[in-house]
Amino acid sequence: PLTGSPVTLKILQNWVPRVSHYFDKEHYTYVGHQIVIQESIEHFGAVVWPGALALSQYLESNQEQFNLKDKKVLEIGAGTGLLSIVACILGAHVTATDLPEVLENLSYNISRNTQNMNMNKPEVRKLVWGEGLNEDFPVSTYHYDFILATDVVYHHAALDPLLATMVYFCKPGTVLLWANKFRFSTDYEFLEKLSNILNTTVLAEFPESNVKLLKATVREN
């Protein structure tokens, strides 16, 4: 069951208006850094969706509650890499993962936005939800303080593998932060399944964008 009374927030217009010759680049400002994101029209994962903006903004504003400094952070379905870059600026050791066809653009955005910074460079790795988790991310070696996921739930066939992936990485002490636009009954069904397995709280709602931000942790018993 869901717990908590969420705060109501707006997604702020954190992107910077600019004159640009590139239609495919968006400029954002988080934590005092300008971040330039190259989107790709070929892949779903290569566009900045509202959940990424919502969670980036939330992490920037709630650094005391969710202190990422020197924490191990895994982003699943990292897409353009915006959120992983923000987590990196906040001091985290980030592993950004996505499907093989998204990794080139993801790597480009991450290296471009973190190259001149005195911080831990994010690692970019392939992760297909529900596949090869024990081989690629064995429990004995990999423990994450935070799992980040934004706009990973929409009309697609991989919802069960996605749920299995979230549960696999959610160990005792891990906090899963998931922001998603809620549009379809399948979105709510996924939330129900997740809250049946993990302790799930709604941290924030962004009603104008239909985005909910949820926190999930392992049940203690």
Side-chain angles (χ1 to χ4, degrees):
L2 283 171
T3 57
S5 49
V7 292
T8 303
L9 300 169
K10 256 175 110 155
I11 295 181
L12 304 171
Q13 302 292 320
N14 266 29
W15 55 93
V16 184
R18 79 288 172 212
V19 178
S20 171
H21 300 292
Y22 301 99
F23 71 94
D24 60 344
K25 288 188 174 58
E26 290 287 354
H27 298 231
Y28 301 88
T29 304
Y30 287 101
V31 207
H33 291 262
Q34 180 159 327
I35 301 169
V36 183
I37 294 294
Q38 175 172 285
E39 298 189 333
S40 154
I41 41 181
E42 287 100 74
H43 303 296
F44 260 156
V47 177
V48 175
W49 296 98
L53 301 176
L55 187 47
S56 294
Q57 177 180 320
Y58 194 84
L59 289 173
E60 176 183 43
S61 310
N62 294 274
Q63 294 177 46
E64 282 170 18
Q65 186 186 358
F66 298 108
N67 179 6
L68 299 191
K69 189 156 179 49
D70 295 324
K71 298 292 196 298
K72 290 195 166 63
V73 172
L74 174 72
E75 184 177 8
I76 59 173
T80 61
L82 175 66
L83 180 59
S84 279
I85 293 162
V86 171
C88 169
I89 293 168
L90 289 168
H93 296 267
V94 180
T95 303
T97 67
D98 212 315
L99 297 169
E101 60 267 24
V102 179
L103 295 184
E104 190 183 349
N105 192 55
L106 174 59
S107 300
Y108 173 80
N109 282 331
I110 284 180
S111 60
R112 173 183 178 154
N113 286 285
T114 58
Q115 61 193 1
N116 301 323
M117 295 184 191
N118 181 21
M119 54 184 70
N120 312 304
K121 298 283 175 280
E123 185 187 2
V124 176
R125 290 187 60 179
K126 177 191 86 156
L127 194 165
V128 181
W129 297 335
E131 289 182 23
L133 299 177
N134 293 315
E135 294 80 38
D136 296 342
F137 297 89
V139 175
S140 52
T141 322
Y142 293 93
H143 181 280
Y144 296 97
D145 301 298
F146 291 92
I147 310 299
L148 308 180
T150 63
D151 290 311
V152 286
V153 175
Y154 48 91
H155 273 324
H156 60 70
L159 290 176
D160 287 338
L162 171 61
L163 183 65
T165 302
M166 287 178 165
V167 171
Y168 175 82
F169 285 112
C170 243
K171 302 284 179 268
T174 302
V175 173
L176 166 67
L177 295 173
W178 166 45
N180 216 91
K181 199 172 169 96
F182 278 75
R183 289 164 285 201
F184 309 115
S185 60
T186 44
D187 302 342
Y188 289 95
E189 285 160 21
F190 184 91
L191 173 55
E192 192 177 347
K193 282 184 186 173
L194 185 73
S195 55
N196 284 337
I197 304 171
L198 301 173
N199 279 331
T200 309
T201 308
V202 187
L203 292 178
E205 292 185 337
F206 300 77
E208 288 179 34
S209 319
N210 293 326
V211 169
K212 292 185 198 301
L213 169 55
L214 297 113
K215 168 191 167 187
T217 54
V218 169
R219 297 226 161 106
E220 290 306 320
N221 45 27

